Structures are given as structure tokens and as C-alpha cells.
Amino acid sequence: MDCEGSRPLLMADPPVDSFRKNKIRDCPPDSDSDIDSDDERPDLLLREDLAAALLCFVSGQLQPAVLRACLHTLRILSRDRRALGPMVTDGALFTLAHLGGIDLLQPCKLHDRSKTEAQWDRTQIHRAEASGCQGAADADVKCAVSFSVPTKEVCVSTTNGSDRHFYKQRGNEGHLVLAPGKKDAREEDSEKDRKEEDGEVCRKEAMKVLCNLIYNNPKAQERASALRLLQGLWESLKQGIWSRAPPTGQFYKLRLLFLLTALRPELRLQLQQERGVLVLTTALEQYLALRWAEGHQLITDSTAPPISKEVSQDVIEILKTIFNIAHRFYRLEPDEEEAALYRHLVTVLRHCLLLSCDGADTLEELQGHTVNILSALPLTCLDVLLAVPLDQASHKYEGVNMDCVHALLLFMDRRLNRGQKLKEKLTPVLSLLTESSRVHRETRHYLRQKILPPLRDVAVRPEQDSTLRGQLVRLMTHVDTDVKDCAAELLFVLCKENVSRYVKYTGYGNAAGLLAARGLLNGWRNSGDGQFASHYSSDSDSDTEEYREARSKINLVTGRVEAEQPDPMEGMTEEEKEEEARRLFCMINRLSQDQIIQPMGVTADGGLAPLWGQMRGCTEEEDEEDEEEEQDLNSMPGLKDKTIK
């Protein structure tokens, strides 16, 4: 995987999995293709030796262009997780961190540098032996050596005295070197700018190598934790955040912070103890240039241009890191200080939901990570999403601003239409809408108006409907249990956990899974008996005229008006009907004995229980009756002879 490409999905995007699509080599380090292949082994050793040689080079003083080329090559080598041996030592990690602008609090061990240099020496020996011309190589190689000799300064003036050039004379050789004079000083600024640009490019390349190493190699993750790489990285980021200067060039540092917190649980806890949520929330405010009004209100500008792609990328990395820290806060009761911090964060996240970006995909990704964090925060802190003053362009319901709820609804609709990776992409927003509907009556009323409007067309099955209701009902029979449960739970909450209303909108066949899991198949318990009954108001379910006229004709199992079907028992006598029922029972019993199906029955408490006992008793009686009939037939005179003939 190469971390310098386009940004991936956290979290619930887990966000780390989305990096795998950018990897060049996707085979595990200990697979048969890596170990048993004799053809690839020399190439692997060559890459390791090249990495060791480059690490020796970059640890010294190099020209910016040379350093940039070496780091670029190391970045390419770091994509292959099989050839990372020389790059995951303490010395290599320390060198790369230093080149990336991170000051580690613990210096590297000298013997790691010795290991790298030894491997480089081994590379030179192998190369010389392979060529067979060690002597010729020694004769041809020229070494550039710099000597420090005393110098003296000489001033030379032109005839008109307009320009003056300064020369430095080395020793007694009479060799003069031109020193910067008045004319050369005018180019110092541009030279300084070029050096700063080269330094920034080299720092980015070093950070890219570090990101690849941390992602691809568990040992690199372990050593980075031991070297306290997170502390140095965190201090570097905090300096830029507290400086109040416009943040620039921090993307790969933010990505490295995300990778460290995603892959090392102890670093997540450490960053939380370092008040990571507070610092990263401040970073979001800086990147988005937020201005605060009173309370949890932001001063918004409807004429502001969309945020740039570069800013969006940095914001996405911050959001993913916040999720790594905050996902453990779900359903915890925060204290007063934590609640104030989370409400402050929710206010910033509310702005993230409603802002505009350059590119629809970037906006989709940013909103996805925002939803992930909102679904992980305590429910008591989400009331800030609705505490926004109304204006003429706001979506409102019962006098409450519904802009955020509407944005979440549109986000869910887009994820439903895409239909890809539903568990990772869709379940966070379904869970967020479900829990918000439980605790906020206005949110539930608004969502019910949009998702479960009064029924009019009852000739179509619920799962065949093209509306949001139909899309969610189709998910109620999805093969993924998490997706199925989240979709069913949202619709059940929108129906105030009322069984009859739930069956009315989904059909008994689609609703049976949730009802069986909750022990509600008998339909006795309604919303007044649920755990969250106190959150539900006593509003009535108004039926349309079309529904009232067709109510008696609706098939409760399918949830629609079925065409009249002929009676299959028509024209049969009672004995024939009994025989047909007996034959059907025997077929079901045979399927049950072969463990193809398992007949179940509804218990008194609304749950399901197998019918083995009842069926076993019926089967024994059936066998006894068959034996008696056979004995009676055998005892009839003349029957045996007729059968033989």
C-alpha cells in the first residue's frame, strides 16, 4: 500500500481496511508465493540491500535533489511488505522521523546504524564479487574529498567603482573563489525559497515512507510505539495548532497519527489522555475557519465558497483520528466537563455535515466520517444538532431546525442507492438515526413523515416499493445480520415499537425476524410496554381513505392486497381433505427428520420453540396405525394368494 495517494474510509469507516485498495502487492509476507519461489528470492535480497544502502545515504548530508530521489525510491520499496527488514530498525525509523520533521524524545541506538552500514558493506562486497573486477573498480573510482584550509579575503574594484567583487584565496595556491557580493545577494531570497520548497518535498517523502512502514509491518508499529514516535508527532502537530497560523503541509503527519491510533490500542488511550479530542477539535476549527457566536452557535456564511480539496483531505484525516479516540465513548455517561467538550465537538461536526466541498466524492467521504463520530458519541450530547436558530432556507418540523436530520436522511439515501459495502457504509447512519429517533421526538416525527408516510398504494408489496420505505424493507431480509437488524430497528422505532403498526408498514413476513428476536410474534406487546416507552408520545397513526377501504382485503403476511385465488380444497370431501392434510404432514415430517427444515411454534411469551416433541408423538401414533392396518390386511383370507399371483 502506498500512503501518498488519495485518501481512503474510518471508521466505521474500520478505516484502515480502505487503504488496501492502494497496495501494489497484496500477498501476505509468509505465503508460499513469497517463501518457496526461488526466482523471486534474489530480487527480494536486492531490494533489501538497496533499502539498506539508501538509508545510509539519507542519514548523511546530501543535496536536496539527491535526498529527494533516495526518499522517493525508499517510498517505492516500502510498498512491498516482504522487503522491509532494513527499514524497520530503530535507527531507520529515527532517521526517517528526523527527515520528516519529527523530533523523537528517545534517541536511536547506535548499533542499529551499525547494522545498516554492515548490510551496505555486504552489498558492496557481493557486487564486487559478482563483477570480478574489484581492482579495476578501485582504480576507476574517484573520491571527492573536501579539505578545510585557511583563506583570506581579497577585494577587487572595477575602474568606475560601481561594482565590487569579493574573493576568497585558499592558502598559498592562489586559487580564488567568488563570494556573494551585492549582485548575488539579490538572488538569496529566491535561493532560500527553493531550499524551503526542497525541504518540504523531502519531509513529505519521508512521511510517506513512514506511513507505508507503519501500515505494512507490525514490527514497525511496535518499534514506533517503543520509540515514542507518537509523542514527537503529537508535539509537532500541536505546535502548528496552537500557533494560530493557517495550517499547511500537515496532511501526512495527520495520516501517520491516524495510522498509529488505528493500529495500536495503547496509543489510542495515550492520545485520549493527552486531551486529543480537544486539540483535534481545535484543529478542525482552524482548518474550517470557524467563527463562534453565543453558546453552541456558529456564524455561518451562505456565500462562502466550497472548501478546497487540500483542506478537505486534512479534515478527513482529523475526523478519522477523532473516531479512533472517541469510539469507546458510546453509551457512556460523561461528566460535566466531558459533556461540554462533546457538545462543542458536535457543533463542529454539525458544520461538517452542512458544508460544501470541491467534488461530490470528497463530500461523501467527509460526511461519512462525520457520521461515524456522531454515532460513537453519547446520545445526551446530540441535542446540539437540533439547537440551531431557524431561517428561511431551513428544513423545520414543529418549530425545530431539521437541517442536520435532513442531511443525514439524504446521506442515507445515497448510501442505499449505491448498495456497496452496506455494513461499513450504511449501518453507522442507520444506528445514528435510530438512536436519535428514540430520544428526540421531533427527529422521529420528521423521519417518519419522510420514510413512513400514510399508506395509499396497498397493491404493491412493501419490499417492491421504490421509496425509502421499500429500500429499508428490502434490507430487513438481507444476508448480513447487522444490516438486517439496523434497518428493521429503525423502522420499528419509527413505528414507536408498536407491533401492529410495524406489520402494517412492512408486512408480517418481513417483520417476523425482529418480532421473533424480541419475543413479539404473538403481537401482544405494543409501544407502551417497551423499554423506551417514556420517549414516545401518544400521537395517532392516521390512515388514508384508500387504506381504510382496502384494509379488510390486505394480506398481513405480504402487506398488500392479493388477487383472489381459487380454493384448492373446493370439491373435496372431508375425508379427502383429511387425507391431503395427512400427506402434507408426512412430507414436512420427512424434511424435518432429514434436518432440511426445523418446524417451530410460537410460545406463550411470543418466542419460538421447536415442535420436535409434538411431531415425535404424532409420528409414533402414525407408525402404530400403519402396523395395525398391515396386520389387518395380512389376516384377510385369500389375500396372500392373490398377492402372490
Side-chain angles (χ1 to χ4, degrees):
M1 164 260 168
D2 197 355
C3 290
E4 77 273 5
S6 58
R7 245 138 351 296
L9 152 330
L10 218 267
M11 281 172 202
D13 297 253
V16 180
D17 295 338
S18 59
F19 281 96
R20 293 190 173 90
K21 65 182 181 182
N22 295 328
K23 289 193 298 180
I24 303 301
R25 299 175 180 267
D26 198 20
C27 47
D30 55 350
S31 64
D32 296 337
S33 62
D34 295 337
I35 295 180
D36 298 334
S37 177
D38 296 334
D39 296 335
E40 293 187 5
R41 191 63 181 171
D43 182 63
L44 181 62
L45 292 175
L46 182 61
R47 274 174 279 168
E48 291 180 348
D49 293 341
L50 177 59
L54 291 174
L55 286 171
C56 284
F57 286 155
V58 299
S59 61
Q61 296 294 330
L62 298 177
Q63 292 293 329
V66 179
L67 179 60
R68 183 168 62 250
C70 292
L71 291 174
H72 181 76
T73 306
L74 283 172
R75 172 167 60 88
I76 297 175
L77 293 173
S78 64
R79 297 173 180 174
D80 187 358
R81 59 178 59 186
R82 303 172 302 170
L84 301 182
M87 290 184 276
V88 296
T89 62
D90 290 3
L93 294 176
F94 180 84
T95 299
L96 292 171
H98 178 71
L99 292 174
I102 302 174
D103 294 329
L104 296 185
L105 303 181
Q106 174 180 340
C108 66
K109 299 179 181 180
L110 295 178
H111 73 272
D112 291 317
R113 175 92 179 264
S114 301
K115 288 182 180 179
T116 305
E117 293 177 349
Q119 187 162 2
W120 164 241
D121 294 339
R122 178 172 57 85
T123 304
Q124 296 298 319
I125 294 174
H126 289 174
R127 186 176 299 171
E129 291 176 351
S131 62
C133 53
Q134 179 69 37
D138 293 338
D140 294 336
V141 173
K142 295 181 179 180
C143 299
V145 182
S146 299
F147 298 95
S148 177
V149 295
T151 62
K152 63 180 180 178
E153 193 173 84
V154 180
C155 178
V156 180
S157 301
T158 59
T159 56
N160 57 8
S162 59
D163 292 327
R164 308 178 74 185
H165 297 280
F166 293 86
Y167 296 88
K168 291 183 179 179
Q169 184 174 2
R170 296 187 178 181
N172 298 325
E173 299 176 357
H175 180 67
L176 300 179
V177 180
L178 181 65
K182 202 171 190 179
K183 185 176 180 180
D184 297 327
R186 289 195 286 259
E187 300 178 358
E188 287 183 357
D189 293 338
S190 60
E191 182 68 22
K192 183 179 180 181
D193 294 339
R194 284 197 297 269
K195 289 183 178 180
E196 291 180 355
E197 183 179 355
D198 291 337
E200 182 64 24
V201 172
C202 292
R203 281 192 292 271
K204 287 183 178 180
E205 289 293 330
M207 294 303 301
K208 292 175 185 179
V209 179
L210 273 178
C211 289
N212 288 345
L213 293 177
I214 296 300
Y215 175 74
N216 284 323
N217 192 276
K219 182 182 177 182
Q221 302 164 17
E222 178 185 353
R223 297 315 306 156
S225 178
L227 287 173
R228 305 178 69 186
L229 178 62
L230 180 66
Q231 287 90 329
L233 176 63
W234 186 237
E235 291 298 326
S236 175
L237 287 172
K238 285 197 299 184
Q239 289 177 5
I241 294 173
W242 300 130
S243 65
R244 298 297 180 181
T248 56
Q250 300 293 321
F251 171 73
Y252 289 103
K253 288 186 178 180
L254 293 171
R255 169 162 286 186
L256 181 60
L257 183 68
F258 159 69
L259 289 174
L260 289 172
T261 54
L263 297 172
R264 300 295 296 185
E266 73 277 6
L267 298 184
R268 290 197 292 268
L269 180 60
Q270 177 182 333
L271 194 60
Q272 177 192 348
Q273 296 172 349
E274 294 284 343
R275 302 181 64 83
V277 174
L278 174 62
V279 177
L280 293 175
T281 303
T282 305
L284 284 177
E285 298 176 33
Q286 284 189 335
Y287 277 100
L288 299 175
L290 299 183
R291 295 179 299 164
W292 290 89
E294 297 180 357
H296 297 288
Q297 304 298 327
L298 290 172
I299 301 175
T300 58
D301 184 6
S302 58
T303 62
I307 61 175
S308 64
K309 186 176 181 180
E310 291 75 14
V311 173
S312 302
Q313 292 172 347
D314 292 344
V315 169
I316 288 173
E317 296 301 320
I318 295 175
L319 291 175
K320 293 190 297 186
T321 306
I322 292 178
F323 175 78
N324 290 341
I325 307 172
H327 78 279
R328 58 186 299 271
F329 301 154
Y330 180 62
R331 287 189 176 178
L332 295 179
E333 289 295 334
D335 56 29
E336 185 176 353
E337 181 181 358
E338 292 174 341
L341 173 61
Y342 299 153
R343 282 190 169 89
H344 186 82
L345 172 60
V346 171
T347 305
V348 178
L349 297 177
R350 181 183 66 200
H351 180 79
C352 293
L353 278 178
L354 302 177
L355 56 77
S356 57
C357 303
D358 284 341
D361 293 339
T362 303
L363 177 60
E364 180 84 6
E365 186 178 1
L366 191 149
Q367 289 182 339
H369 294 298
T370 302
V371 169
N372 290 342
I373 301 176
L374 289 173
S375 63
L377 293 177
L379 296 175
T380 55
C381 301
L382 299 184
D383 54 351
V384 182
L385 294 176
L386 306 180
V388 184
L390 291 171
D391 55 35
Q392 295 180 352
S394 298
H395 295 84
K396 52 183 175 295
Y397 189 83
E398 298 179 355
V400 179
N401 191 310
M402 289 290 158
D403 287 340
C404 283
V405 179
H406 185 74
L408 291 172
L409 193 63
L410 294 178
F411 177 79
M412 181 189 71
D413 191 19
R414 291 194 299 269
R415 291 288 171 95
L416 283 170
N417 292 329
R418 292 191 178 185
Q420 299 176 352
K421 297 182 178 180
L422 293 179
K423 183 175 181 179
E424 295 82 3
K425 303 290 187 179
L426 185 62
T427 52
V429 65
L430 290 177
S431 175
L432 176 60
L433 291 177
T434 301
E435 300 301 330
S436 299
S437 299
R438 274 202 174 105
V439 298
H440 300 120
R441 183 177 61 89
E442 296 82 5
T443 300
R444 179 173 55 82
H445 285 182
Y446 183 80
L447 291 177
R448 181 181 166 191
Q449 183 187 51
K450 299 295 183 180
I451 299 176
L452 298 178
L455 290 177
R456 297 184 182 275
D457 186 7
V458 290
V460 180
R461 288 193 175 193
E463 65 271 15
Q464 295 175 348
D465 195 0
S466 60
T467 62
L468 273 176
R469 179 189 70 135
Q471 291 176 295
L472 291 174
V473 170
R474 283 195 291 273
L475 293 180
M476 293 171 63
T477 54
H478 197 272
V479 294
D480 192 293
T481 305
D482 293 333
V483 175
K484 176 182 66 175
D485 292 343
C486 286
E489 188 75 13
L490 175 59
L491 293 175
F492 193 53
V493 170
L494 294 182
C495 293
K496 298 195 304 182
E497 302 189 14
N498 185 293
V499 175
S500 59
R501 187 179 300 180
Y502 183 56
V503 172
K504 166 187 170 182
Y505 282 99
T506 64
Y508 190 83
N510 296 314
L514 182 138
L515 297 179
R518 289 173 170 258
L520 300 175
L521 285 174
N522 52 19
W524 291 349
R525 199 182 83 188
N526 288 322
S527 59
D529 304 321
Q531 178 183 0
F532 297 92
S534 59
H535 295 288
Y536 299 132
S537 59
S538 58
D539 57 322
S540 60
D541 184 25
S542 58
D543 295 331
T544 61
E545 187 66 26
E546 296 87 345
Y547 181 81
R548 284 195 294 267
E549 292 177 358
R551 178 185 298 174
S552 59
K553 303 177 183 178
I554 295 177
N555 186 332
L556 294 179
V557 176
T558 60
R560 72 168 181 176
V561 176
E562 300 285 354
E564 294 186 2
Q565 301 292 333
D567 186 6
M569 296 290 185
E570 185 178 359
M572 298 176 63
T573 64
E574 293 298 327
E575 291 78 6
E576 291 174 339
K577 293 179 181 179
E578 184 178 351
E579 182 63 26
E580 184 67 20
R582 184 184 185 88
R583 188 175 67 84
L584 182 61
F585 177 81
C586 293
M587 294 172 61
I588 295 176
N589 185 33
R590 188 177 301 110
L591 292 174
S592 176
Q593 290 178 347
D594 294 340
Q595 297 183 355
I596 299 176
I597 63 172
Q598 183 179 5
M600 307 289 289
V602 180
T603 61
D605 57 357
L608 289 175
L611 298 176
W612 283 107
Q614 301 178 14
M615 294 190 64
R616 185 179 295 109
C618 296
T619 304
E620 293 176 355
E621 294 178 0
E622 178 185 339
D623 295 339
E624 292 177 359
E625 292 179 359
D626 292 342
E627 291 178 0
E628 292 177 358
E629 291 179 359
E630 185 177 355
Q631 292 177 0
D632 293 340
L633 291 174
N634 292 334
S635 63
M636 294 178 63
L639 179 62
K640 184 175 181 181
D641 298 336
K642 293 179 181 180
T643 304
I644 294 175
K645 293 179 180 179

